[in-house]
Amino acid sequence: MSKNRQLLLQEYPKDNITADSFKLEESDIPSIQDGEVLIKNIVASVDPYQRGILSPGPSYAEPVQIGSPMRLGTVGVVVESKAEGYEKGDFVNGFGGVQDYYVGKPGENLQNKLQPRPENLEDISKAMSVLSVVIGLTAYVGTKHILNPSKDSVFLVSAGAGAVGSLSGQIAKELGATVIGVAGKPEKLDYMKSLGFDHVFNYKTDDLKAEFKRVAPKGITHYFDNTAGPITEAFLQNAATGAKHAVCGAISDYNKEKPDGIRSWASIIKSRITITGFLVSDHIDKYGEFVQWAKPLVDAGKLKWSVDLREGGPGKYVDTATDLFAGKHSGKMLLKLNEFPQ
Amino acid sequence: MSKNRQLLLQEYPKDNITADSFKLEESDIPSIQDGEVLIKNIVASVDPYQRGILSPGPSYAEPVQIGSPMRLGTVGVVVESKAEGYEKGDFVNGFGGVQDYYVGKPGENLQNKLQPRPENLEDISKAMSVLSVVIGLTAYVGTKHILNPSKDSVFLVSAGAGAVGSLSGQIAKELGATVIGVAGKPEKLDYMKSLGFDHVFNYKTDDLKAEFKRVAPKGITHYFDNTAGPITEAFLQNAATGAKHAVCGAISDYNKEKPDGIRSWASIIKSRITITGFLVSDHIDKYGEFVQWAKPLVDAGKLKWSVDLREGGPGKYVDTATDLFAGKHSGKMLLKLNEFPQ
């Protein structure tokens, strides 16, 4: 291939992401300057936060500029390097975007080398899910550093079958806690059970307030919150004195112009709850510690995860993102941009 | 007087506190056993938390039992003592309730002796407001220990003209912060200005979101929250990265069966806010430190407070509480139960 396929943003989508917002174009493969690295993307990570950067308004990350390639995290292979520490054939993490090639600048859009070198696509999938910053480190920081449950803890996780939530619950189990997982579909409840969660509930059909009271009569001590909404409401009404609540996501609010609102605010006082909002980008320094902790568990099959790898290259980004937001996926969503190099 | 006027709870109020919920009765003055003290109440403290204990559901304190006198903090004078350390004529803090006389048990409903002995009603008012646990220590713990602003901080306080809020803002000024106070009436705004607050706003008439953005373009760093409701919403939308939010009260929710709800939940993530609910009862050990810090400022006239002392005895509790919840008061609300003894 001598051309660079790029998915360029044409206009900000109003509601859902659609093909009308993008244009697939071919351009020349870029050349690099001193200090830069030319990288060929292999796999892209498709995540909920990407809706936020497809909007001109303020978000916690810069919006994608009109005319630029859709921005997202990728794993790629170095094709040519004029930067110290990077050689042809190295695999790297970076914000490569939905395109075949990009110019990587170490410490900016090029993050780190994958070590050990991946031997196949499955190794890359692992690096982009369970051992990644956006999934693995997010679950680890929120669960271990912010909440830090122990064997007497009752740990609740919302969206407990999701990529981050399923890891958070497993980390809490490793730390000895009793884990309650909540999701919205029977098959997700089955998945959480298969991960060893102690109690699983469906927020669409179960009376969470009553169920939490039943399984945690002394109250829930820790809550990893991916959703806001009714699960958070039921937590606040069943929190133990001194409970800790980490706010990682609010997915039940993201597509609503006017969220329902959290009404049990006075419980924060009554139960002396501490609520901490966090972004993994503030905790990149803990990545080494996390890998050291998690990798032996992953290698031993003790920490489970699930990946939904879609084929099709840059032109399939919109379909992949659409399925993500519709919940038509099973595990961490990835898009293959190019074949694993032999 | 040879009788004990008591305001007895008849039924839990559904919404606002009304006279229908209580019955004023006269009974005999109680007699005491060994280890007990007979106390005549002089002044009662009327506070927002009392709505919470007039409800059969779980609160952070035991509900008042049907048929019992309305429970609240009082300062009284010892009439007769069979307990070590207490003599006739001592003034004491305790949970004396809305009645003329009560039987005090040291360490239970009888808390401590007032030292030095108050010489008049004003000394009692001071002990029940600026130097009290429920007002002074609450403001101190939330402002100094939980939030701890410094000279680069932008400190917001809701109900900033209230008993706790006005002290919180002054403590934050003492610590060097720029202080924004919010209340709901022009005269309250004037009062906050007179205390040296840098910016004052009326949540009923000002566009808080826009005003906060104007006076704190880099965001609000600390928030002492007495109210929940629209002030909290505007804070969440204007919080600086890493802002701290202490939740002391939620007065805008207390009388609502279904509170409006906090809708800007995702801001907790975006701005990495830490929210801490607290009750002063967990921090009684800091009372000595607080008095050492505050008393010189009070004596020097640097820390200002305001008391709204209502006359009328036990039968006037409902009117006093009604005015408190309607905001028809100016300063710490007290109810005189009996004359200061000559």
Side-chain angles (χ1 to χ4, degrees):
Chain A
M1 189 191 308
S2 60
K3 287 287 182 183
N4 187 18
R5 296 172 298 172
Q6 298 185 299
L7 188 72
L8 305 176
L9 182 63
Q10 293 257 82
E11 60 177 27
Y12 292 113
K14 287 215 170 39
D15 299 305
N16 295 320
I17 297 175
T18 69
D20 294 342
S21 297
F22 298 95
K23 187 166 60 174
L24 190 65
E25 279 196 353
E26 289 199 354
S27 60
D28 290 335
I29 295 172
S31 57
I32 55 171
Q33 313 290 323
D34 276 354
E36 295 180 343
V37 182
L38 181 66
I39 298 151
K40 184 177 183 181
N41 283 322
I42 309 299
V43 178
S45 181
V46 182
D47 299 293
Y49 79 86
Q50 286 156 16
R51 181 65 189 84
I53 61 173
L54 286 172
S55 162
S59 176
Y60 44 78
E62 278 288 298
V64 180
Q65 297 302 309
I66 301 290
S68 293
M70 175 61 199
R71 188 170 78 239
L72 42 56
T74 57
V75 163
V77 63
V78 174
V79 174
E80 184 189 356
S81 174
K82 293 185 177 176
E84 211 175 322
Y86 292 89
E87 287 179 19
K88 187 175 171 174
D90 285 346
F91 282 82
V92 294
N93 261 317
F95 284 95
V98 185
Q99 54 190 340
D100 293 315
Y101 293 90
Y102 74 105
V103 176
K105 295 177 186 174
E108 293 181 30
N109 62 347
L110 195 174
Q111 294 186 296
N112 61 292
K113 235 188 298 198
L114 266 54
Q115 282 163 329
R117 190 178 188 280
E119 293 183 10
N120 49 39
L121 213 50
E122 199 192 320
D123 282 350
I124 292 185
S125 296
K126 202 188 286 183
M128 295 187 81
S129 56
V130 63
L131 292 177
S132 69
V133 165
V134 74
I135 303 299
L137 183 59
T138 299
Y140 180 78
V141 163
T143 309
K144 171 76 180 134
H145 283 277
I146 295 177
L147 295 174
N148 200 23
S150 60
K151 68 177 175 49
D152 295 324
S153 305
V154 179
F155 185 97
L156 170 66
V157 54
S158 59
V164 171
S166 62
L167 278 176
S168 170
Q170 290 179 82
I171 294 169
K173 281 300 302 172
E174 278 293 322
L175 296 172
T178 298
V179 172
I180 304 172
V182 180
K185 284 189 179 136
E187 58 270 30
K188 292 185 177 181
L189 269 57
D190 290 341
Y191 180 59
M192 293 190 291
K193 272 186 215 160
S194 79
L195 299 176
F197 290 14
D198 300 277
H199 308 284
V200 301
F201 298 110
N202 186 328
Y203 72 90
K204 291 177 180 166
T205 56
D206 288 324
D207 178 349
L208 291 185
K209 190 178 165 187
E211 293 291 352
F212 288 175
K213 192 165 188 172
R214 182 175 65 79
V215 301
K218 291 180 184 171
I220 293 165
T221 59
H222 298 79
Y223 174 33
F224 192 107
D225 183 0
N226 291 301
T227 58
I231 308 169
T232 297
E233 205 76 58
F235 160 72
L236 291 171
Q237 293 168 347
N238 283 278
T241 298
K244 291 183 184 178
H245 175 175
V247 187
C248 177
I251 199 162
S252 82
D253 286 352
Y254 290 162
N255 285 329
K256 286 181 189 159
E257 188 136 355
K258 195 173 183 190
D260 296 333
I262 297 295
R263 299 177 197 278
S264 303
W265 193 256
S267 300
I268 298 171
I269 308 169
K270 192 181 86 181
S271 298
R272 293 84 132 177
I273 302 170
T274 300
I275 305 176
T276 307
F278 75 103
L279 288 175
V280 72
S281 48
D282 296 332
H283 302 275
I284 303 294
D285 60 316
K286 299 184 186 80
Y287 185 70
E289 172 196 322
F290 157 64
V291 171
Q292 201 166 17
W293 185 88
K295 198 160 181 312
L297 296 170
V298 170
D299 290 344
K302 281 190 180 174
L303 213 53
K304 296 183 177 69
W305 74 99
S306 163
V307 156
D308 191 338
L309 178 70
R310 303 293 172 96
E311 303 271 344
K316 281 291 178 187
Y317 172 73
V318 171
D319 288 352
T320 309
T322 300
D323 280 1
L324 173 74
F325 282 104
K328 292 182 181 167
H329 64 300
S330 56
K332 169 77 188 94
M333 263 260 188
L334 298 173
L335 173 63
K336 194 165 100 177
L337 295 177
N338 285 288
E339 292 300 324
F340 188 86
Q342 297 308 318
Chain B
M1 189 191 307
S2 58
K3 287 286 180 182
N4 187 17
R5 296 172 298 172
Q6 298 186 298
L7 189 72
L8 306 176
L9 182 64
Q10 293 256 83
E11 60 177 25
Y12 293 112
K14 287 214 170 39
D15 298 305
N16 295 320
I17 296 176
T18 67
D20 293 344
S21 297
F22 297 96
K23 187 166 60 173
L24 189 66
E25 278 198 352
E26 289 199 356
S27 60
D28 290 335
I29 296 171
S31 56
I32 55 172
Q33 312 292 321
D34 276 354
E36 295 179 341
V37 183
L38 181 65
I39 298 151
K40 184 177 183 181
N41 283 322
I42 309 298
V43 179
S45 181
V46 182
D47 300 291
Y49 79 86
Q50 286 155 15
R51 181 64 189 84
I53 61 174
L54 286 172
S55 163
S59 175
Y60 43 78
E62 278 291 298
V64 179
Q65 296 303 310
I66 300 290
S68 294
M70 175 60 199
R71 188 171 78 240
L72 41 56
T74 56
V75 164
V77 62
V78 174
V79 175
E80 183 189 356
S81 175
K82 293 185 178 176
E84 210 175 325
Y86 293 89
E87 285 180 20
K88 186 174 172 177
D90 285 345
F91 282 83
V92 294
N93 261 316
F95 284 93
V98 185
Q99 53 190 341
D100 293 315
Y101 293 90
Y102 75 105
V103 175
K105 294 177 187 175
E108 293 181 30
N109 61 347
L110 196 174
Q111 294 185 295
N112 61 293
K113 235 189 295 198
L114 267 55
Q115 282 163 327
R117 190 180 188 279
E119 293 184 8
N120 49 39
L121 214 50
E122 200 192 320
D123 283 350
I124 292 185
S125 296
K126 199 188 289 184
M128 295 186 82
S129 56
V130 63
L131 293 176
S132 70
V133 164
V134 74
I135 302 299
L137 184 59
T138 299
Y140 180 78
V141 163
T143 308
K144 172 75 181 134
H145 283 277
I146 295 176
L147 295 174
N148 201 23
S150 60
K151 68 178 175 49
D152 296 324
S153 305
V154 179
F155 186 97
L156 170 67
V157 54
S158 59
V164 171
S166 62
L167 278 176
S168 169
Q170 291 179 81
I171 295 169
K173 283 299 302 172
E174 279 291 324
L175 296 172
T178 298
V179 172
I180 304 171
V182 179
K185 285 193 178 131
E187 58 270 28
K188 292 185 179 182
L189 269 57
D190 291 341
Y191 180 59
M192 293 190 290
K193 274 186 214 159
S194 78
L195 299 175
F197 289 13
D198 299 277
H199 308 284
V200 301
F201 298 109
N202 186 328
Y203 73 90
K204 291 179 180 164
T205 56
D206 289 322
D207 178 348
L208 291 185
K209 191 178 165 186
E211 294 290 353
F212 288 175
K213 193 166 187 171
R214 182 174 66 79
V215 301
K218 292 180 183 168
I220 293 164
T221 59
H222 298 80
Y223 174 33
F224 192 107
D225 184 358
N226 291 301
T227 59
I231 308 170
T232 297
E233 204 78 57
F235 159 73
L236 291 171
Q237 293 168 346
N238 283 277
T241 298
K244 291 183 185 177
H245 176 174
V247 187
C248 177
I251 197 166
S252 81
D253 286 352
Y254 289 162
N255 284 328
K256 289 179 188 160
E257 190 135 355
K258 196 175 183 189
D260 296 332
I262 297 294
R263 298 176 197 279
S264 303
W265 192 257
S267 301
I268 298 171
I269 308 168
K270 193 180 86 182
S271 298
R272 293 83 130 180
I273 302 170
T274 301
I275 305 176
T276 308
F278 75 102
L279 287 176
V280 71
S281 48
D282 295 332
H283 302 274
I284 302 293
D285 60 318
K286 299 184 186 79
Y287 185 70
E289 173 196 322
F290 158 64
V291 170
Q292 201 167 17
W293 185 88
K295 197 157 185 313
L297 295 170
V298 169
D299 290 342
K302 281 190 179 173
L303 212 55
K304 295 182 178 69
W305 73 99
S306 161
V307 157
D308 192 338
L309 179 70
R310 302 292 173 95
E311 303 271 344
K316 282 292 177 187
Y317 171 74
V318 170
D319 288 352
T320 309
T322 300
D323 281 0
L324 174 74
F325 282 105
K328 293 182 183 168
H329 63 302
S330 54
K332 170 74 188 95
M333 264 259 188
L334 299 173
L335 173 63
K336 195 165 101 180
L337 295 177
N338 286 289
E339 293 299 324
F340 187 87
Q342 298 307 319

